[in-house]
Amino acid sequence: MGNRILSIKNFSVKNLMDEEKRKQDRRKQQVPITFRDRRRFDRRMQMDEFQKLLFSGRRVRDPEKDRMVITGIGVVAPNGTGKDQFWESLTKGVSGIRPITMFDTDKYSSRKAGEITDFNAARFLGKKGLRSLDRSTQLVNVAARLALEDSALEVGQANTYDTGVVVGTTMGSVHSISEFDKTALIDGPSYVNPALFPNTVINSPASQASIMFDIRGLNATISSGFCSALNAALYACDCIRLNRVSTILTGAVEELCQQTFLGFYKNGCLSASNPQQGRVEQSMPFDKRRNGLILGEGAGFLVFEDLRHARERGAKVYGEIAGFGSAFDPSQNSSIYHPHVDGAVKAMQRALKDSHVSAQDIDLICASANSTLLGDWLETQAIKEVFGERALTLPITAVKSMLGEGYSVTGSFQIMAGLLAINKGIIPPTINYQEKDTACDLDYVPRQCRKARVSRVMINSFSPNGNYISLIISSEESINKRKETLYEQEKCGKS
């Protein structure tokens, strides 16, 4: 019995000595530890020694993997299909706003919209498989095709799981839902066409784009009203930075339909719908005569990828996503803007901070202005507060004067206008600007385009429902000159 107790004691002492030796060896090897392993270490360990152990195995990320660039543009807009036609129309001040032909508007005082009248999806996609796709989905697929071709990106077995699709849309399925339910209510549920049911869900356009182009890595739909396109871009950037995929096709879509038109019209939001504000039916951002928005439609897609991936495949880089800023103002809780600028100010300030630039570094603002009385005034006041004296000389353009308010999709059009302004050295005009409003007294590049050197552009997307988001894009020259300060600081913190 005594020998047995002695052997147990010897065994315990031996285990303790082995454990102490393992601790010492582990410290010498500087192996990184998990949170659960920390309690196994001697509590008398010095803090600097503990931090060295904790961070010794953590890999420093490649700076170029965290930088998002845009390498492809695909657009179907009221004033042009394809990047070149779209840009030519913008610079010449060609409006896509015209009398509506899709449905009868004779009994309404508002009769115009940014309607795409010559749209033919089969010309780009072929006839196969288009019969059951609604207008929104066809617009998405055409814009996606154009973006992929412009980026020279081929999706195949080698990269299909490394490529994703993110679409912003809010009311793209309203018409499909209405028509599907109308058949069910009038003729009965047994008479509905089951092939049309997928069009009634909001994620259908994104899913159909992935199916058509065999993109299997990621598929998501973002719905946040006016801000959907920029929020989709933000989500796409985050997914690439988190190494979920290397390339994302991101953009937005909205289609014009009678149901959406009547919703805005009966709320008094459309131009000429409120007789007290005037009968002139035009999109006139910042103009004293502005009396409401004009609806638009279309689809716009961009190819996002990290800088390393773009350089490895030799892609043309249009620009870099420098930073985002967003905010929500709960006082904006209806379809009508309220005179509170806090949300807009905070979004722009956060975008500047995230981009590590000052107000003086911004060369152009692509405004969210959509020809509403309070909306345009709100943005003007917010720009003055954020940019101070710089606001008086800062060019501001409102492309919605030519495209209408496309709800979710216009943010994509604004990004494209900013990218092309950077690459072409031309600022698109704000058309229909004739009478100056003393409350909107900044430089809105009225009526004619302007040649200018543009390196950084701020894109604003502000919603009457309280969502505010700002995006800053920069030129390729800025990419090459930009210092990797944050990454150096990160390395120092981990050493």
Side-chain angles (χ1 to χ4, degrees):
M1 184 69 178
N3 293 335
R4 185 176 179 185
I5 294 174
L6 182 61
S7 63
I8 292 174
K9 286 183 179 180
N10 291 337
F11 177 76
S12 300
V13 171
K14 185 177 183 301
N15 283 351
L16 289 174
M17 292 176 63
D18 290 344
E19 178 67 21
E20 186 64 27
K21 187 175 184 301
R22 281 196 296 269
K23 285 183 181 180
Q24 293 175 0
D25 292 342
R26 195 168 188 177
R27 292 182 190 178
K28 290 178 182 179
Q29 296 173 2
Q30 295 187 349
V31 178
I33 59 173
T34 64
F35 178 78
R36 292 181 179 178
D37 291 332
R38 293 179 192 173
R39 62 187 177 205
R40 297 174 59 187
F41 280 77
D42 187 352
R43 295 192 180 186
R44 293 172 296 178
M45 183 190 304
Q46 296 295 324
M47 183 57 66
D48 56 346
E49 185 181 354
F50 175 75
Q51 289 179 344
K52 188 177 292 186
L53 284 170
L54 183 64
F55 295 115
S56 61
R58 191 175 289 182
R59 183 175 61 86
V60 177
R61 274 185 63 87
D62 181 354
E64 292 187 350
K65 296 286 289 182
D66 282 339
R67 297 171 65 178
M68 299 301 109
V69 295
I70 300 169
T71 59
I73 297 175
V75 56
V76 183
N79 64 349
T81 297
K83 174 190 66 178
D84 296 333
Q85 187 179 357
F86 173 73
W87 178 244
E88 183 180 2
S89 297
L90 284 186
T91 54
K92 291 182 177 179
V94 177
S95 175
I97 296 171
R98 53 183 67 91
I100 296 172
T101 62
M102 296 177 64
F103 49 87
D104 185 19
T105 60
D106 289 344
K107 55 185 177 182
Y108 311 119
S109 56
S110 299
R111 301 176 182 178
K112 293 182 179 180
E115 179 185 336
I116 303 171
T117 56
D118 57 348
F119 178 64
N120 182 9
R123 183 160 61 94
F124 300 91
L125 305 171
K127 295 182 180 180
K128 185 178 180 180
L130 295 183
R131 181 181 298 179
S132 61
L133 301 183
D134 64 2
R135 186 177 177 87
S136 288
T137 307
Q138 292 185 23
L139 288 167
V140 160
N141 285 334
V142 172
R145 167 79 71 186
L146 294 172
L148 289 171
E149 290 177 354
D150 185 51
S151 180
L153 178 66
E154 295 183 4
V155 181
Q157 282 195 337
N159 63 346
T160 181
Y161 287 102
D162 202 30
T163 309
V165 173
V166 179
V167 176
T169 187
T170 303
M171 298 183 293
S173 57
V174 169
H175 178 70
S176 298
I177 294 171
S178 178
E179 294 301 310
F180 189 85
D181 290 348
K182 184 170 67 175
T183 302
L185 291 170
I186 295 175
D187 300 327
S190 299
Y191 290 90
V192 298
N193 184 353
L196 300 179
F197 177 73
N199 294 325
T200 65
V201 294
I202 197 170
N203 70 308
S204 176
S207 299
Q208 291 293 343
S210 288
I211 292 170
M212 178 160 289
F213 303 110
D214 193 27
I215 298 174
R216 307 185 186 188
L218 168 73
N219 189 281
T221 298
I222 306 296
S223 180
S224 56
F226 287 71
C227 303
S228 297
L230 298 195
N231 277 319
L234 173 58
Y235 183 78
C237 288
D238 288 344
C239 288
I240 295 175
R241 289 193 176 106
L242 290 171
N243 284 330
R244 295 184 64 184
V245 289
S246 293
T247 309
I248 289 186
L249 196 64
T250 182
V253 64
E254 293 291 0
E255 68 169 296
L256 179 66
C257 65
Q258 188 173 16
Q259 292 83 356
T260 303
F261 175 86
L262 288 176
F264 280 91
Y265 181 82
K266 292 187 175 182
N267 274 322
C269 299
L270 297 185
S271 176
S273 63
N274 188 344
Q276 296 179 350
Q277 296 179 358
R279 291 294 190 184
V280 178
E281 191 176 6
Q282 279 185 338
S283 181
M284 306 171 283
F286 303 113
D287 190 282
K288 186 178 180 180
R289 302 167 299 148
R290 65 189 187 278
N291 58 1
L293 57 87
I294 291 182
L295 287 178
E297 66 169 348
F301 269 84
L302 302 158
V303 176
F304 281 19
E305 52 190 313
D306 63 74
L307 184 57
R308 171 69 66 190
H309 188 269
R311 285 178 172 169
E312 285 177 351
R313 70 182 192 89
K316 172 182 169 58
V317 174
Y318 286 99
E320 177 184 11
I321 302 296
F324 285 89
S326 60
F328 182 80
D329 186 352
S331 61
Q332 306 277 1
N333 56 5
S334 72
S335 59
I336 307 298
Y337 290 93
H338 288 271
H340 299 279
V341 301
D342 295 347
V345 168
K346 184 62 69 175
M348 288 190 283
Q349 288 176 340
R350 287 176 173 174
L352 291 171
K353 182 178 180 180
D354 189 46
S355 305
H356 306 286
V357 297
S358 68
Q360 302 299 320
D361 296 320
I362 302 299
D363 303 309
L364 172 66
I365 292 180
C366 283
S368 178
N370 56 10
S371 193
T372 55
L373 284 171
L374 278 174
D376 296 3
W377 173 87
L378 181 149
E379 188 166 13
T380 298
Q381 302 309 310
I383 290 172
K384 288 181 178 180
E385 185 168 337
V386 173
F387 289 87
E389 293 183 0
R390 169 66 175 142
L392 301 176
T393 58
L394 180 60
I396 302 167
T397 184
V399 297
K400 293 179 184 179
S401 61
M402 294 174 269
L403 304 170
E405 176 55 85
Y407 212 68
S408 296
V409 71
T410 321
S412 291
F413 294 157
Q414 291 173 250
I415 297 174
M416 294 172 187
L419 288 170
L420 294 171
I422 288 173
N423 285 269
K424 305 291 187 180
I426 300 176
I427 299 175
T430 301
I431 67 169
N432 301 323
Y433 184 86
Q434 296 178 7
E435 295 186 25
K436 186 175 181 179
D437 186 350
T438 55
C440 298
D441 54 354
L442 301 179
D443 178 10
Y444 304 116
V445 194
R447 297 180 293 282
Q448 290 185 345
C449 65
R450 181 184 303 171
K451 290 185 178 181
R453 184 179 180 277
V454 180
S455 294
R456 293 185 182 89
V457 181
M458 175 179 282
I459 316 292
N460 287 336
S461 189
F462 299 156
S463 167
N465 302 112
N467 272 322
Y468 297 89
I469 184 166
S470 294
L471 160 68
I472 295 178
I473 53 179
S474 60
S475 65
E476 187 174 7
E477 181 182 0
S478 298
I479 295 175
N480 297 330
K481 291 182 178 180
R482 187 178 178 189
K483 295 181 179 180
E484 305 296 338
T485 307
L486 287 180
Y487 300 104
E488 293 299 329
Q489 291 177 351
E490 187 177 0
K491 289 178 185 179
C492 293
K494 294 177 181 179
S495 62

